[in-house]
Amino acid sequence: MSTLTKERGPQKLHEAGDRVIGLSGPGSLICVGCGYAIAIEALDALPSCPACGGSRFRRGSLFDQPTVDIDSVELGERAPAWLAAAREAISEPGPHIAFEDQGEAVTVALRKGWTRIGRSDAADIKLDDATVSRRHALIVRTPEGELRALDDRSLNGLFVNGRHVDWSRLGDGDELEIGRYRLVVVE
């Protein structure tokens, strides 16, 4: 199965469930339906698109730009169930990042300075998933207590409250989407 693109000619499409071994190595695939990029490294089979549930992908290129129509992405109306447990577990005042990892609520206090988020062992918040770049995002807490999130040149981008951003101010309840993870700012 293939499709034609003006710039590159015929391009092979891959279906969810295809074995990654047959896709000529690691890299990224782009969902044909919504443009979401999926990093592939050591997967047995392609998953469905985490953004739209689509099953058709094309090989990504270093020169591809994200094509997600952010106005068509609906944000969840309700807070996730694990968030209440995370809020209750916080014992010290100040801003925290809360997220769910392997069914458990995790909270991390945001100290003054930089907090690195990514797949790297050097990250302060390590998110072990192929959809997360080694150096994905940074959160800075200024001496005045202001919080900001910055995209650290990640493959899949940084989304704050459903919007693709390079940087954004953060406050209580703001949601960061980093790969397949949802991280919430909790005061």
Side-chain angles (χ1 to χ4, degrees):
M1 156 184 359
S2 66
T3 184
L4 286 177
T5 60
K6 283 185 180 178
E7 299 83 22
R8 290 180 242 143
Q11 188 172 41
K12 178 154 175 55
L13 292 181
H14 306 282
E15 295 281 339
D18 283 353
R19 309 237 350 112
V20 171
I21 295 167
L23 300 180
S24 70
S28 65
L29 294 177
I30 309 297
C31 175
V32 174
C34 72
Y36 190 87
I38 297 176
I40 56 171
E41 289 186 15
L43 299 174
D44 289 333
L46 285 175
S48 296
C49 176
C52 73
S55 63
R56 296 177 51 194
F57 301 90
R58 65 177 173 80
R59 181 59 87 167
S61 163
L62 178 63
F63 304 104
D64 282 337
Q65 294 297 317
T67 58
V68 175
D69 177 5
I70 56 175
D71 293 329
S72 68
V73 177
E74 294 181 21
L75 298 177
E77 302 262 333
R78 298 175 301 159
W82 55 263
L83 187 54
R87 283 189 186 275
E88 290 177 17
I90 295 174
S91 59
E92 61 183 275
H96 291 71
I97 285 290
F99 60 99
E100 183 181 31
D101 191 26
Q102 298 179 1
E104 298 290 322
V106 177
T107 58
V108 177
L110 295 172
R111 311 271 184 238
K112 286 188 170 62
W114 297 95
T115 301
R116 297 171 300 221
I117 304 171
R119 207 174 65 234
S120 167
D121 287 333
D124 300 304
I125 299 175
K126 186 173 186 214
L127 304 174
D128 192 17
D129 189 79
T131 61
V132 178
S133 296
R134 284 180 179 80
R135 294 175 44 187
H136 201 107
L138 298 163
I139 296 178
V140 62
R141 182 174 176 203
T142 66
E144 297 79 28
E146 182 179 313
L147 292 178
R148 293 184 185 176
L150 301 125
D151 189 338
D152 197 8
R153 301 179 309 265
S154 66
L155 176 66
N156 289 334
L158 172 64
F159 293 80
V160 175
N161 298 326
R163 292 230 171 271
H164 183 256
V165 299
D166 290 326
W167 76 273
S168 178
R169 293 179 195 262
L170 297 176
D172 185 46
D174 284 341
E175 181 180 290
L176 290 82
E177 183 181 330
I178 296 179
R180 71 168 185 85
Y181 288 89
R182 291 173 62 187
L183 293 82
V184 180
V185 177
V186 178
E187 290 282 344

